[in-house]
Amino acid sequence: MFKAEVYSERRKKLKQLVKTGIIYLPGNNEAPMNYPANTYLFRQDSSFLYYFGLDADGISGIIDVDADKDIIFADDRSVDDVVWMGYEKSFNERAKLVGVTIVKPVAELNDVISKAVHSGRKIHYLPQYRAESKLQIEKLIGIHHSRVNDHSSKDFILAVIEQRSVKSDEEVKQIESAVDISYEMNTAAMKFSKPGLKEREVFGIIEGIASSKGRGISFPSIFSIHGEILHNHHHENLMKDGDLLVLDSGAESELHYASDITRSFPVNGKFSQKQKDIYNIVLKSQVESIEMMKPGVKFKEVHLKAAKIIASGLIDLGLMKGTAEDAVKEGAHALFFPHGLGHMLGLDVHDMEGLGEGFVGYDKDTSRSDQFGLAYLRLAKELKPGFTVTVEPGIYFIPQLFEHWKKDNKHSNFVNYGKVEEYIGFGGVRIEDDVLVTDSGFKVLGSKPIPKSIAEVESACAKE
Ligand code: GLY
Ligand code: MN
């Protein structure tokens, strides 16, 4: 954990931002996998971790803004619990580690909330993503579970986003340590992949490294010869000579901060000329868009720069035509690059996405586009020092999207359909790094650069 003062300061700032009322922050419970006692790996709620730091199930926090009191509701383990799960220090002792001196039994939570409700005080809570938390709020506050999120507190949401978006030095260190685990995951995947293995044989090694070096994965790893499927969670394919792999994966640091790194590499360790051509376009768009990142620049502009480099490279290869400027304005590049350039990264891999992407990535000066491709951009607003962001352009040949566009001859001024057809079956290429916005520019996180140029990737693939 960070020092107790870190959590106390965060709660103090939150009280200043929210101004009045009671803040209710439920922690997560264990989630059953196939019967009640057989649970998924426990993951605490990220906002609970941010303000209360305790990584335990079944607890919750109240911050009484008006009375300036912070309370943790938690029950110590009974002797029976200890027999099965082991001894843990009392919550009275553990709460001190996060600067909280008032600990009450869980059974008293209902009383505290209902008193506040009856005296007409505002109860602030965040949008909930687990059914159990919605039911709990229904029980405590009396709002039907289907409408719980409609009544979440905008003041609380905006305060959390303001605080969590700007990472302190100690948070950046956590993210950087997760990126260093990603270095191990990616270089191992490059080393172990070879024709004749099934994807899952390497997938297991990658996820094992995340567990052995940190708190496990920050999201289920994408590892596939079908890199054109953006979020592909199937790992049953046989890897063959000539196939190209996409590995998009991340680890959690000791304190649950995420990394999110993507590399693309050939199963046989050597890029073909066709693979090199596409790879180098993605690489150029990634490197040059990162170079324009600094405070005051809108991430939407960084996305558009990456898109123009992709369009320009595809024009040079004969897959697109016209000018890159016009093609991107019309959205024709989205046949190949249909997703956004990146997202915030922190305690969540898509940081704070559960609070509402519109609040996290957009603001009054930046509205979401409805153009196919650009509409998926999760972060568009102006960058500030302390933001940590992923930069992850890609080029994909998606057979069904290609057929869909071709049927309507969509953007035929810009797409050379005859030439693109030759690339169906190619798969996809994505390259992703985690980038800190500094006072004057940017820093690509990680103490060792993860192989990225063609030469570096081929050399990592050749390691025995
Ligand atoms: N790492 C998966 C994604 O960013 O969507
Ligand atoms: Mn990502």
Side-chain angles (χ1 to χ4, degrees), residues 253-304:
S253 70
E254 202 57 34
L255 296 184
H256 297 286
Y257 285 80
S259 61
D260 184 5
I261 298 287
T262 306
R263 289 294 184 266
S264 305
F265 52 94
V267 166
N268 65 13
K270 282 268 171 207
F271 287 91
S272 68
Q273 190 54 49
K274 201 171 178 179
Q275 288 167 343
K276 276 185 189 168
D277 291 343
I278 298 294
Y279 188 92
N280 278 329
I281 298 172
V282 179
L283 183 61
K284 181 173 158 67
S285 86
Q286 202 242 15
V287 169
E288 293 188 13
S289 56
I290 290 175
E291 278 166 1
M292 76 180 273
M293 288 172 67
K294 61 178 181 190
V297 172
K298 278 192 181 186
F299 198 63
K300 183 176 179 180
E301 296 306 320
V302 185
H303 170 94
L304 292 173

Side-chain angles (χ1 to χ4, degrees), residues 219 222 231 248 260 343 349-350 378 392 432:
F219 60 99
I222 296 160
H231 281 177
D248 181 346
D260 184 5
H343 49 85
V349 66
H350 288 182
R378 298 178 201 276
E392 47 179 312
E432 175 178 27

Side-chain angles (χ1 to χ4, degrees), residues 25 34 43 45 66 70 80 98 198 256 296 320 328 352 399 407 439 457:
L25 201 43
N34 51 347
R43 177 52 158 82
D45 174 74
D66 309 304
D70 306 334
D80 278 16
V98 293
K198 271 198 161 185
H256 297 286
M320 291 188 79
V328 168
M352 300 169 282
K407 172 168 63 68
D439 288 337
V457 171

Side-chain angles (χ1 to χ4, degrees), residues 49 84 98 103 129 132 146 191 291 299 378 409 457:
L49 279 176
W84 290 97
V98 293
V103 177
Y129 51 91
E132 231 176 298
S146 63
K191 179 172 141 180
E291 278 166 1
F299 198 63
R378 298 178 201 276
N409 225 6
V457 171

